[in-house]
Amino acid sequence: MKVILKVWRQNNAESQGAFETYPVDNVSEDMSFFEMMDMLNDQLVLDEKTPIAFDHDCREGICGTCGLFINGRAHGKIRGITTCQLHMRSFEDGETIIVEPWRAKAFPVIRDLIVERTSFDRIMEAGGYVSVKTGGTPDANAIPIAKRNADEAMDAASCIGCAACVATCKNSSAMLFVAAKVSHLSLLPQGQPERNERALNMIEAMDEEGFGNCTNTGACEIECPKEISISHIGRLNREFLKASLKG
Amino acid sequence: MLNNKIPSGPLAEKWTHHKFSSKLVNPSNKRKYDIIIVGTGLAGASAAASLAELGYNVQAFSYHESPRRAHSIAAQGGINAAKNYPNDSDSIYRLFYDTIKGGDYRSREANVYRLAEVSNNIIDQCVAQGIPFAREYGGLLDNRSFGGAQVSRTFYARGQTGQQLLLGAYSALVRQMNRGQVKFHPRHEMLDLVLIDGEAKGIVTRNLITGEIQSHSANAVVLATGGYGNAFFLSTNAMASNATAAWRAHKKGAFFANPCITQIHPTCIPVASGHQSKLTLMSESLRNDGRVWVPKKKGDKRHPSEITEDERDYYLERLYPSFGNLVPRDVASRRAKEMCDLGHGVGETGLAVFLDFADAIERMGKDVVVQKYGNLFDMYKQITGEDPYEIPMRIYPAVHYTMGGLWVDYNLMSTIPGLYILGEANFSDHGANRLGASALMQGLADGYFILPYTIGDYLSGKLGEVVSIENEAFSKTESDVKNRINNLISINGNRTVDDIHKELGLILWENVGMARNKSGLEKAIDSIPKLKDEFWSNVKVTGVADELNPELEKAGRVADFLELGELMARDALNREESCGGHFREEHQTEENEAKRNDKDFSFVAAWEHKGNNLPAELHKEKLIFENVELTTRSYK
């Protein structure tokens, strides 16, 4: 099959970007989207042109490194997968495919389709942990946890930090990302001692990074490759309110 | 010459005695030491956090944008520990024994016993961090069983155990970053090790965004940089996984141990085309209910539904009536290759066998199969476009894990003083074959509970040592690194990096893969250096050195794979026996099983770099077994 790619090219955060068009022939429908990009890049190298820069690593949907806006959808149109899990059989022969980076104020473009997401690490630094040192912890079975809570905590903890939620949100809000971590730890007994500070500090860090506010459009939950529910945002709001009242 | 520093005394008391007799660094003196940690996956992140908690100043480096991207995250199945929560007679000794036997008696008793000993602390640690392990209704932890064991000792978090454990170590790490006790350098790749008076005192990195070459000094250097499976080009590793840090250290004097011993995982989605960039693992658990078969007739390309029962060869059930489809990884992989080599392979390429769930669906009902394996079936369908509920899966083995790695002593120190190696990057604990759910255990054992106890023994002797990047060893190394980069860019030949990497991968896969023989290995030893020459005269790397340049990153890594690949072949040629993941066709029983030679090969092969274009020199560390009896594995 053949596709026509319209790809965002941008040298760095300061420079102005633009779309460039690349027709790609001999695409097999068994290829992943990135293997099609690899083939195009190999050709660009042989033609003495600069290959398209994009972030990717595990290519099995778990590391959270990849993330492209494809035809206006974060990670493409198929629900519950990352960009690296997208295959060419999901496109029509001859289709024009528009490829863009995540666009958000808190994610400056590094080059072409690669953006800087260290703001997520800084939010985590503000409280995305239980303050335990290595060693001296009680026996694992000394902390019983209801299966229902453990399962719900796992639903939240499955976040891969890819930032599709931010990219798709019209406000560029990082609420689903923050909610996933706050929700995970507030559901577990281990997370209780720092529960209030965590909610307050992570929200504060999120605001400082320049992410927008949540207006409950629900777009994030639709595009989340791990299908994390916005009910966790509800829990985050409650946690934040409770913590604020306690001062 | 090789001193493994294994303490004397009874097996179960070695670690306790060793911890006591190792020198300590006074709490108020710890802040006077700088430690560099390269790689922030399970082993690196857990080590960085633990050392920072103790008070050391840690500089952590990763070529990823965040520690949470490391490939530890992709481990699915679980993590072993000898908790004996299911009351099924597990113990530290049993975990030790299973690991030694599973490794086909090519690992050290003392190291493996220590690993089993600290396994329980890891689970306690992870639970305290808030890792949402699977639980039973009563609120206690659930366990499941894995290959190579007759007890249920595997803890898991759905099919995402590696992810949850890495996020746990990452959370401990970001906490120390927030305290300023760890300085994290994202998107920095280590390109060389710096020695001062023969000891590891720093590294030279390239900033992957700006291209800047920088020196970093420390009192000790820790590498936790993963395995080298990507030498084969196609593997289950992430795209950027590479051996450069380990190989640069090897060229500076760290011995490389058992490089030929690699693990080929039997249940992966087969290669579809020459454009394939990586292989995806399907959990080993599928073999609990799926039946492996090929058509009896060679080259039979009919639709599987047209091939009747008596025209099928369920070869694992035929060859291994008692273990059937659940034989260990190395055996299942080798038999699949054999069937395909004989012309029974299925699919367009003929390089696949069927894994059929039709019987399971009939026996348990489709609903139960959906419950047990639904996510895996979906993943398979997403990649292949075929529905495994309707048509048997096609699977084929793929490179997965490397048991070989840099040689370390009992303290996890390499042959270079002050250089420590953790996790998959070292060779120490899995012998010739790693059991499922043991990689996560080892990575975290090294980082949380071993290195923090052993590194003080070295550092205590260095109190007051000042290491500065003003030392000429740094400027010399920096200039070597820059020259190498400039060479790569100036070649401007006709072949892309990937093109040459694929050719190397094919040579290794054909000759140093699942089954090896003398003539194939000699062929590899002959052709890899020629490919290396081709690389250095005809590779094409576009762009410049002082900005983001993914082609340049790949080129540097492939250049090192080319040298490592040759050593893998030499080691395989030297090891005239079959053991675990290393199968020499000349050394097999009449029933085509691996035949160990304990008399001549019960040793760790540690290779010393002697200079470019000179063959590496072999040093042997004899393996001494005082507690277990060496037996032949049988799965008939």
Side-chain angles (χ1 to χ4, degrees):
Chain A
M1 59 192 276
K2 176 183 174 165
V3 292
I4 296 149
L5 290 186
K6 292 182 93 168
V7 182
W8 186 260
R9 305 294 311 255
Q10 182 174 342
N11 220 22
N12 54 50
E14 283 75 42
S15 64
Q16 200 160 16
F19 283 105
E20 280 198 38
T21 304
Y22 303 93
V24 190
D25 288 332
N26 300 319
V27 175
S28 138
E29 61 172 26
D30 288 330
M31 281 179 182
S32 70
F33 187 81
F34 283 154
E35 284 161 3
M36 180 272 299
M37 299 271 288
D38 291 341
M39 187 170 77
L40 169 61
N41 271 347
D42 262 6
Q43 195 52 52
L44 291 174
V45 169
L46 293 173
D47 295 344
E48 310 263 346
K49 291 180 180 145
T50 312
I52 301 159
F54 61 97
D55 250 343
H56 62 98
D57 199 28
C58 77
R59 295 205 178 185
E60 51 187 281
I62 192 73
C63 73
T65 309
C66 71
L68 298 179
F69 231 65
I70 296 172
N71 289 337
R73 299 283 302 272
H75 294 304
K77 66 182 174 187
I78 298 178
R79 286 183 76 160
I81 63 167
T82 57
T83 308
C84 66
Q85 292 175 294
L86 188 62
H87 279 68
M88 293 312 292
R89 72 177 70 86
S90 303
F91 298 92
E92 302 291 326
D93 192 12
E95 187 172 341
T96 297
I97 306 171
I98 298 165
V99 187
E100 297 169 82
W102 286 170
R103 294 187 194 278
K105 189 174 138 198
F107 299 151
V109 171
I110 291 174
R111 163 83 67 82
D112 298 340
L113 304 169
I114 300 181
V115 298
E116 170 88 50
R117 282 172 294 194
T118 44
S119 44
F120 268 20
D121 286 327
R122 288 189 292 272
I123 295 174
M124 287 290 287
E125 279 186 43
Y129 44 77
V130 174
S131 296
V132 287
K133 285 189 178 179
T134 303
T137 50
D139 182 83
N141 260 351
I143 312 172
I145 300 169
K147 184 172 177 355
R148 202 179 60 179
N149 287 350
D151 285 349
E152 201 179 347
M154 180 63 212
D155 290 342
S158 64
C159 169
I160 58 173
C162 67
C165 48
V166 176
T168 198
C169 176
K170 63 174 183 168
N171 309 317
S172 298
S173 169
M175 281 288 273
L176 191 62
F177 171 74
V178 176
K181 187 45 65 185
V182 167
S183 193
H184 157 208
L185 292 176
S186 67
L187 279 159
L188 300 176
Q190 302 93 308
Q192 298 313 309
E194 298 163 291
R195 186 172 176 173
N196 293 331
E197 297 91 318
R198 179 178 305 114
L200 294 174
N201 292 343
M202 289 184 78
I203 291 278
E204 188 188 344
M206 177 185 84
D207 289 343
E208 274 173 17
E209 294 293 341
F211 290 101
N213 293 319
C214 173
T215 51
N216 287 312
T217 66
C220 52
E221 116 181 313
I222 290 172
E223 299 296 50
C224 173
K226 298 299 159 191
E227 302 184 303
I228 293 171
S229 159
I230 55 165
S231 64
H232 295 290
I233 295 184
R235 180 174 287 111
L236 171 62
N237 284 331
R238 290 197 298 279
E239 293 291 318
F240 180 73
L241 189 63
K242 271 193 289 186
S244 306
L245 290 173
K246 282 181 183 163
Chain B
M1 163 161 193
L2 280 173
N3 179 0
N4 60 24
K5 306 230 173 104
I6 290 178
S8 56
L11 185 65
E13 290 165 25
K14 284 179 193 287
W15 179 229
T16 306
H17 285 163
H18 189 71
K19 282 189 287 188
F20 181 72
S21 60
S22 294
K23 282 179 248 136
L24 298 176
V25 176
N26 174 310
S28 62
N29 279 338
K30 288 198 173 85
R31 62 172 174 266
K32 297 174 184 162
Y33 292 97
D34 296 321
I35 299 171
I36 282 173
I37 297 185
V38 186
T40 45
L42 277 184
S46 57
S50 303
L51 293 173
E53 286 162 9
L54 288 171
Y56 295 111
N57 303 307
V58 177
Q59 305 258 339
F61 296 82
S62 171
Y63 55 70
H64 285 115
E65 61 171 346
S66 163
R68 67 182 297 155
R69 308 288 183 218
H71 200 53
S72 308
I73 208 157
Q76 299 169 356
I79 175 164
N80 289 329
K83 282 284 193 186
N84 191 36
Y85 285 159
N87 195 34
D88 57 359
S89 191
D90 200 7
S91 63
I92 288 169
Y93 195 87
R94 193 180 293 282
L95 174 54
F96 152 75
Y97 180 80
D98 288 347
T99 307
I100 283 275
K101 180 186 171 197
D104 220 356
Y105 308 98
R106 289 295 173 263
S107 45
R108 291 183 192 140
E109 281 190 341
N111 282 58
V112 176
Y113 192 86
R114 175 176 65 183
L115 177 65
E117 218 177 331
V118 302
S119 67
N120 292 339
N121 301 96
I122 298 172
I123 303 303
D124 298 343
Q125 186 67 34
C126 293
V127 167
Q129 288 170 343
I131 286 170
F133 281 120
R135 287 179 183 266
E136 294 169 346
Y137 283 100
L140 301 184
L141 290 159
D142 190 24
N143 286 109
R144 61 183 174 194
S145 41
F146 247 71
Q150 288 172 306
V151 294
S152 293
R153 62 161 72 101
T154 306
F155 295 79
Y156 65 101
R158 293 197 187 139
Q160 289 142 269
T161 318
Q163 180 201 23
Q164 294 309 313
L165 297 182
L166 180 64
L167 293 181
Y170 163 73
S171 72
L173 177 58
V174 291
R175 179 168 163 255
Q176 295 305 318
M177 284 158 62
N178 193 39
R179 289 181 61 221
Q181 202 63 37
V182 176
K183 165 86 181 116
F184 178 63
H185 302 261
R187 297 194 197 259
H188 277 64
E189 181 163 21
M190 167 181 158
L191 291 182
D192 215 338
L193 179 72
V194 180
L195 303 189
I196 296 176
D197 299 330
E199 306 201 3
K201 294 296 159 194
I203 61 172
V204 170
T205 60
R206 179 169 179 271
N207 178 326
L208 299 183
I209 305 296
T210 64
E212 190 189 352
I213 303 298
Q214 284 174 313
S215 287
H216 310 270
S217 64
N219 301 97
V221 176
V222 179
L223 302 187
T225 50
Y228 49 89
N230 268 353
F232 290 84
F233 186 76
L234 286 177
S235 82
T236 64
N237 286 185
M239 299 304 288
S241 301
N242 71 80
T244 285
W247 192 252
R248 298 281 112 201
H250 172 62
K251 294 186 82 165
K252 288 280 170 91
F255 292 5
F256 210 111
N258 297 339
C260 79
I261 303 185
T262 50
Q263 180 166 79
I264 317 264
H265 198 290
T267 49
C268 299
I269 300 176
V271 178
S273 76
H275 295 293
Q276 190 124 356
S277 58
K278 83 152 265 159
L279 297 170
T280 304
L281 182 95
M282 302 294 287
S283 170
E284 172 165 308
S285 62
L286 289 170
R287 285 195 282 139
N288 278 300
D289 289 302
R291 297 180 71 196
V292 177
W293 66 274
V294 292
K296 280 183 183 164
K297 205 171 101 197
K298 290 182 184 182
D300 191 341
K301 292 290 170 198
R302 285 179 293 165
H303 191 275
S305 64
E306 293 167 19
I307 302 175
T308 60
E309 207 54 35
D310 60 346
E311 292 175 307
R312 301 177 176 191
D313 180 9
Y314 294 89
Y315 59 90
L316 288 178
E317 297 170 26
R318 172 170 60 81
L319 292 164
Y320 306 98
S322 63
F323 275 71
N325 294 296
L326 276 174
V327 290
R329 289 176 177 177
D330 50 343
V331 178
S333 292
R334 205 156 31 73
R335 293 297 184 181
K337 174 183 164 28
E338 187 180 278
M339 286 297 148
C340 295
D341 289 351
L342 290 169
H344 297 281
V346 300
E348 251 176 70
T349 59
L351 288 176
V353 299
F354 287 128
L355 179 63
D356 198 336
F357 288 87
D359 285 355
I361 291 169
E362 202 180 303
R363 176 164 44 87
M364 306 188 284
K366 190 175 167 182
D367 290 352
V368 178
V369 174
V370 171
Q371 257 178 33
K372 276 180 100 165
Y373 304 116
N375 61 334
L376 293 169
F377 279 38
D378 291 347
M379 185 163 89
Y380 180 85
K381 191 177 175 189
Q382 178 62 31
I383 292 173
T384 63
E386 290 176 359
D387 181 0
Y389 295 105
E390 302 296 327
I391 178 169
M393 281 185 183
R394 287 172 295 111
I395 54 158
Y396 199 65
V399 175
H400 181 53
Y401 186 91
T402 52
M403 277 74 72
L406 291 177
W407 185 91
V408 287
D409 64 17
Y410 191 68
N411 292 325
L412 303 182
M413 185 146 85
S414 70
T415 50
I416 298 175
L419 179 69
Y420 291 82
I421 319 293
L422 313 187
E424 191 181 349
N426 74 29
F427 87 102
S428 68
D429 296 350
H430 306 296
N433 178 54
R434 180 177 65 73
L435 291 180
S438 283
L440 300 180
M441 173 173 68
Q442 185 225 331
L444 289 181
D446 288 1
Y448 284 135
F449 295 112
I450 299 175
L451 185 72
Y453 289 86
T454 60
I455 199 167
D457 198 56
Y458 170 78
L459 290 176
S460 60
K462 303 288 171 190
L463 190 60
E465 179 190 57
V466 178
V467 188
S468 159
I469 58 169
E470 301 302 319
N471 188 301
E472 62 179 14
F474 284 94
S475 49
K476 164 82 174 61
T477 311
E478 270 192 33
S479 104
D480 291 346
V481 165
K482 284 177 187 160
N483 286 339
R484 188 175 147 90
I485 288 172
N486 292 336
N487 282 346
L488 285 169
I489 288 182
S490 63
I491 298 164
N492 199 23
N494 295 311
R495 293 183 68 180
T496 62
V497 176
D498 278 357
D499 185 31
I500 293 177
H501 192 180
K502 283 177 186 177
E503 187 175 334
L504 170 68
L506 211 59
I507 295 172
L508 290 174
W509 181 243
E510 296 281 322
N511 303 297
V512 201
M514 276 182 281
R516 298 112 185 238
N517 60 53
K518 183 164 185 281
S519 82
L521 291 166
E522 283 169 348
K523 205 171 100 192
I525 291 166
D526 179 58
S527 51
I528 294 172
K530 286 180 186 156
L531 186 62
K532 183 180 152 192
D533 291 344
E534 163 83 357
F535 176 89
W536 284 101
S537 59
N538 198 24
V539 76
K540 189 178 193 71
V541 180
T542 49
V544 293
D546 57 359
E547 60 177 39
L548 178 82
N549 190 340
E551 287 297 311
L552 176 63
E553 294 166 27
K554 284 194 289 187
R557 296 165 190 165
V558 172
D560 290 332
F561 280 140
L562 282 159
E563 296 179 6
L564 172 57
E566 185 189 336
L567 187 65
M568 288 162 71
R570 283 190 187 280
D571 185 42
L573 182 64
N574 179 73
R575 192 168 279 279
E576 289 272 1
E577 66 161 350
S578 295
C579 58
H582 169 67
F583 187 79
R584 279 288 298 267
E585 288 168 348
E586 301 92 328
H587 304 286
Q588 51 182 311
T589 64
E590 281 174 10
E591 291 153 322
N592 309 106
E593 300 298 344
K595 198 165 145 192
R596 268 195 342 259
N597 177 350
D598 293 329
K599 187 171 139 286
D600 300 318
F601 288 94
S602 188
F603 63 78
V604 176
W607 297 88
E608 180 185 8
H609 180 74
K610 301 298 280 186
N612 289 329
N613 304 319
L614 286 174
E617 185 184 331
L618 175 65
H619 300 268
K620 297 176 184 176
E621 181 205 337
K622 189 154 177 48
L623 291 165
I624 296 158
F625 295 91
E626 293 169 335
N627 297 275
V628 299
E629 192 189 335
L630 277 59
T631 59
T632 303
R633 299 188 304 165
S634 170
Y635 302 96
K636 290 279 171 192

